[in-house]
């Protein structure tokens, strides 16, 4: 067990509480998870390594989340990006989807909700492999 | 009746002095705005409350934005009330300002230190006071008060005292300057630290505080056996014992004579600025406000045996053992690792068999000196190689330790002592940090889980999150509880408050039926016992004695003991201790509690408002009052005075017609039901007067209390008229807006019904009053189920029930209004009826019968 490739997830959110709660929940569901609260570090990480799924906040200090997800998509178009944000507006949602975002979740959300979205993204990735 | 008209007269008299010139239509639209805002506040509050449940991921941004949103609406409420009654309620702004200011301070990361005493006895300390008394004091108080274990008598010298001390001696600027010198490199860390310590040790404890500490000591010594008892002073700093462990870096002083207390207190404070602590704080980038310290002041326990218990081996959690170190006399040398001690290695499972015992020669022991201080003396020859603990004591320590572990949800490092009367006393407890070990151990949690069969999952609702392993113990009767073993998983068909009896021994609870808001749920949360209710299958699928693992986070029950999952859980920061959880909890305390219940009470005034909910409630009550008190006939408007509905049921309802809602003469002070021609109101009244809804069979079950609750609300001869007459309906031909305060329930119904189905809607909102939580939640559930059966869309948040329905044709909408009327009548009885879970089903059926008999239901 554990030999088969696990789905790799990167989470970026500048509020540590989000990482603290998301990471273990996703790990328990069988994903390999890396979590970052600084966008610079996350940006460096995606250069070293491609992730299957990226979960990112939109509004953060330093690098803007929209900019980050653009970089992710540029480097690795097959990576599915899930946006989580506390400032959900129609415009940001539209813009995200235009950039090819897989789904858009308004904070606060239920653990179950994000797990469902992640599972869907995983299905899509596996289907296209 | 006469009291009512007297009251009206009085209101009119008062009003004439400043009769408002605002036209009624404007006034009513302001009133409607107030109702709308009122609803928004209640919904927001309920929404924020649900976030504490653990299912949601929220951040600080969420808390900030919701606080601002709710404050904004409450401000508008005050503004609009003052628009209804110009300048009459200006002092509400002051109440609002004070509350909102505190919320803003919290949001800015400056916890508002409650205006507590300078000292607090353990009996009064709860978890809520952690920020004031420090974690060590708070943990110990909970162990003592909630878990009922023995701990030293004592009190906390709070952080407020620390601040007063710093202020009195004007130390802050000097300390800041020294800190700066050090960080700039102009002074060494040692120099800076030493100088700060000197300043503290030479400072003066303000005279007022000296008095307070001594009076607390007087009371402490009253309960003590002799005047000779000495004191232990222990640090209890912010952050200590929780996520940042400064373990062992702060000072604890043992066996201090009373005369030395102030100096000892200062010494403990000074340890906040030891070289190592200052360095640690810098590294961890800890916030300034954590540079504060509370102190524990306890009566010394004259220990015969002392030691330390680790409920899990921190270096090798997977051994799944408990470790006890024990030695003769006081425990300080064991804690500091200076003395040799016996080591007991025990199984973590009941009856905690001893796995190995390592006895060392204990030459010396630490003992208290009569005049204060401690001494090291030789241990009697024959005791040197003897074990210090009996089997019974070992078991007792293990049991207590696991109880504390279950409560704090982390393996524990516990200092304990056994006094000369053979009592086990818990001196201190803090969580063991096993994060790194777990990371090595459980590298792949999901594959570990694959090895364990799932017995069931996603059944029922999680009441308290957490993970536990244990053997199934089926509880069928109350007698079963007497033989309930420690650490077992309690499995039962129905929830009952009686289960509280064994809650401290319980590792998890699973029930077939039950509600997440019931009384047992409250107890489970209080003791943080992982609990899943309403699974429907638990008693069928689980066998007595079967070892299971309850994952009350993901809602899964596994066969076998998934130890890895427990370790994983141990390593996680508990949701309840996260900054965000505590912040939300703290701001909610300034938002949600309702202190203004009864308008006839003295505190029902702006200065009595302690929370935003209080203000909201006050504004709503006063807005209704303002509208009822109007008499427009007198000031030339059309006949829109409030008139009483003459009705055969005990409901004092004032009607205000804003157009085509009432036929007949408007000069008469009473309206007959047949004169009501408002479409929704007429239907509502039909439902309300269904025979049997107000006084029928269920009442006889508990007639006495039903009547007493009736009189509490309706007896116009006994209660003040002002208190009675707050039920108001504003109506027109197609519209009705009904505000009811029935007992302590607040009920609002708004409906618009016309020939045009597209415009039609009905809105029902019910907020339960001050009964105990289990009755309230049963009531909420009953209402929801009844309304759902009539096709309403339901939203339950806590004990707030909202039901909506819209766009049905006129006939169907009328039926829905009849159902609502019937339900309002019916609801009156619920308060006194809902003592048992079975009542929900019985009452629901009873309601359905009434409905079927009296209201024609169309199938949609």
């Amino acid at each position: 067990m554990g030999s088969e490739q696990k789905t790799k997830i990167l989470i970026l959110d500048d509020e540590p509480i989000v990482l603290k709660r998301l990471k273990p929940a996703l790990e328990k569901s069988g994903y390999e998870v890396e979590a970052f609260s600084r966008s610079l570090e996350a940006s460096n990480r995606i250069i070293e390594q491609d992730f299957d799924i990226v979960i990112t906040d939109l509004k953060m200090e330093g690098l803007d989340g929209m900019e980050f997800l653009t970089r992710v998509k540029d480097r690795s178009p097959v990576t599915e990006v899930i946006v989580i944000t506390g400032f959900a507006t129609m415009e940001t949602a539209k813009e995200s989807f235009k950039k090819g975002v897989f789904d858009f979740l308004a904070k606060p959300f239920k653990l179950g909700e994000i797990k469902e979205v992640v599972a869907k993204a995983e299905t899509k990735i596996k289907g296209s492999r | 009746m006469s009291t009512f008209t007297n009251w009206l007269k009085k209101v009119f008299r008062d009003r004439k002095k400043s009769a408002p010139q605002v036209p009624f239509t404007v006034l009513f639209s302001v009133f409607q705005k107030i109702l709308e805002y009122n609803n928004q506040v209640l919904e927001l509050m309920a929404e924020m409350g649900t976030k504490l449940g653990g299912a949601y991921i929220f951040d600080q941004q969420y808390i900030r934005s919701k606080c601002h949103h709710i404050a904004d609406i409450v401000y508008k409420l005050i503004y609009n009330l003052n628009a209804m009654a110009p300048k009459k309620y200006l002092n509400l702004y002051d109440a609002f300002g004070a509350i909102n200011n505190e919320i803003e301070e919290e949001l800015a990361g400056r916890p508002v230190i409650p205006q507590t005493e300078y000292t607090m006895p353990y009996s009064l300390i709860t978890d809520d006071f952690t920020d004031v008394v420090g974690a060590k004091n708070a943990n110990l108080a909970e162990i003592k008060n909630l878990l009922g274990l023995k701990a030293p008598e004592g009190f906390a010298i709070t952080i407020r005292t620390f601040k007063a001390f710093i202020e009195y001696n004007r130390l802050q600027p000097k300390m800041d300057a020294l800190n700066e010198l050090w960080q700039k490199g102009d002074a060494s860390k040692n120099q800076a630290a030493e100088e700060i310590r000197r300043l503290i040790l030479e400072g003066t404890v303000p005279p007022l505080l000296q008095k307070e500490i001594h009076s607390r000591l007087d009371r402490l010594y009253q309960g003590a056996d002799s005047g000779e008892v000495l004191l232990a002073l222990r640090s209890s700093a912010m952050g200590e014992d929780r996520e940042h462990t400064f373990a062992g870096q702060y000072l604890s002083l043992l066996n201090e004579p009373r005369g030395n207390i102030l100096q000892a207190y200062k010494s403990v404070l000074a340890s906040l600025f030891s070289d190592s602590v200052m360095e640690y704080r810098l590294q961890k980038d800890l916030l300034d406000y954590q540079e504060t310290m509370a102190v524990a002041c306890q009566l010394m326990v004259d220990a015969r045996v002392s030691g330390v218990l680790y409920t899990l081996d921190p270096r090798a959690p997977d051994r799944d053992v408990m470790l006890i170190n024990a030695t003769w006399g006081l425990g300080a040398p064991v804690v500091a690792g200076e003395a040799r001690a016996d080591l007991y290695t025990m199984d973590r499972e009941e009856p905690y068999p001893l796995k190995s015992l390592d006895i060392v020669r204990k030459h010396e022991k630490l003992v208290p000196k009569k005049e204060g201080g401690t001494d090291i003396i030789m241990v009697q020859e024959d005791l040197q190689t003897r074990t210090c603990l009996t089997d019974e004591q070992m078991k007792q320590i293990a049991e207590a330790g696991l109880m504390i572990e279950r409560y704090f949800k982390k393996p524990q490092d516990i200092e304990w002592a056994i006094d000369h009367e053979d009592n086990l006393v818990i001196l201190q407890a803090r969580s063991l940090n096993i994060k790194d070990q777990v990371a090595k151990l459980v590298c792949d949690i999901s594959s570990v889980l694959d090895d364990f069969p799932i017995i069931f999952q996603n059944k029922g609702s999680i009441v308290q999150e957490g993970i536990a392993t244990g053997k199934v113990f089926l509880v069928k009767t109350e007698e079963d509880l007497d033989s309930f073993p420690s650490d077992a998983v309690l499995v039962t068909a129905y929830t009952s408050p009686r289960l509280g009896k064994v809650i401290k021994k319980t590792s998890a609870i699973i029930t077939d039926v039950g509600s997440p808001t019931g009384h047992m749920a409250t107890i489970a949360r209080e003791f943080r016992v992982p609990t899943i209710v309403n699974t429907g299958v638990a008693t069928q699928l689980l066998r007595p004695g079967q070892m299971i693992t309850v994952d009350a986070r993901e809602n899964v029950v596994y066969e076998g003991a998934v130890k890895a999952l427990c370790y994983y859980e141990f390593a996680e920061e508990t949701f309840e201790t996260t900054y965000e959880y505590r912040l939300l909890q703290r701001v909610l305390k300034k938002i949600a509690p309702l202190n203004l219940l009864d308008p006839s009470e003295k505190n029902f005034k702006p200065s009595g408002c302690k929370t935003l909910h209080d203000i909201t409630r006050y504004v709503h009550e006063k807005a209704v009052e303002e509208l009822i008190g109007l008499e427009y006939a007198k000031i030339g408007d059309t006949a829109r005075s409030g008139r009483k509905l003459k009705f055969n049921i005990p409901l004092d309802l004032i009607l205000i017609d804003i157009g085509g809602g009432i036929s007949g003469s408007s000069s008469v002070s009473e309206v007959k039901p047949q004169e009501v021609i408002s479409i929704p109101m007429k239907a509502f009244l039909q439902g309300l007067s269904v025979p049997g809804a107000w006084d029928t069979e269920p009442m006889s079950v508990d007639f006495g209390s039903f009547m007493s609750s009736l009189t509490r609300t309706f007896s116009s001869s006994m209660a003040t008229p002002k208190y009675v007459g707050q039920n108001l309906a504003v109506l027109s031909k197609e519209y009705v807006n009904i505000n009811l305060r029935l007992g302590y329930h607040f009920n609002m119904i708004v409906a618009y019904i016309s020939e045009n189905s597209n415009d039609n809607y009905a809105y029902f909102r019910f907020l339960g009053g001050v009964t105990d939580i289990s009755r309230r939640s049963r009531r909420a559930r009953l209402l929801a189920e009844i309304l759902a059966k009539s096709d309403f869309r339901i939203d339950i948040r806590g004990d707030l029930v909202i039901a909506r329905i819209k766009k049905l044709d006129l006939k169907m909408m009328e039926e829905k209004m009849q159902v609502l009327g019937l339900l309002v009548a019916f609801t009156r009885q619920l308060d006194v009826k809902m003592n048992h879970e079975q009542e929900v089903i019985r009452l629901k059926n009873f309601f359905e019968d009434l409905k079927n008999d009296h209201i024609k239901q169309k199938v949609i």
Side-chain angles (χ1 to χ4, degrees), chain A:
Chain A
M1 220 162 291
S3 57
E4 69 184 278
Q5 193 95 13
K6 281 187 162 197
T7 300
K8 288 195 186 67
I9 301 181
L10 178 146
I11 316 173
L12 168 61
D13 195 305
D14 65 349
E15 291 222 32
I17 181 79
V18 177
L19 309 177
K20 232 182 250 176
R21 303 204 59 214
L22 261 186
K23 187 169 187 266
L26 291 173
E27 278 175 350
K28 262 199 245 176
S29 308
Y31 302 105
E32 196 177 304
V33 184
E34 291 185 34
F36 296 88
S37 63
R38 291 172 206 220
S39 41
L40 188 66
E41 287 167 18
S43 293
N44 291 338
R45 187 66 184 129
I46 56 161
I47 295 169
E48 298 163 9
Q49 157 97 56
D50 283 343
F51 287 85
D52 301 302
I53 297 172
V54 166
I55 301 173
T56 178
D57 190 7
L58 271 194
K59 197 173 170 182
M60 289 168 292
E61 276 179 38
L63 184 72
D64 167 60
M66 201 64 83
E67 172 66 27
F68 177 71
L69 77 89
T70 311
R71 281 190 206 177
V72 170
K73 278 292 192 186
D74 283 351
R75 275 199 62 82
S76 161
V78 293
T79 298
E80 294 298 350
V81 179
I82 297 163
V83 166
I84 48 175
T85 180
F87 301 88
T89 64
M90 272 313 279
E91 283 85 81
T92 48
K94 260 193 226 159
E95 197 185 339
S96 312
F97 282 117
K98 231 185 270 169
K99 302 219 177 213
V101 155
F102 180 76
D103 211 341
F104 188 94
L105 276 179
K107 277 195 272 188
F109 47 78
K110 281 188 173 179
L111 263 177
E113 289 170 349
I114 190 140
K115 280 201 270 184
E116 214 170 281
V117 172
V118 168
K120 276 189 205 152
E122 190 188 26
T123 313
K124 185 179 168 195
I125 294 163
K126 287 198 169 146
S128 64
R129 256 180 205 163

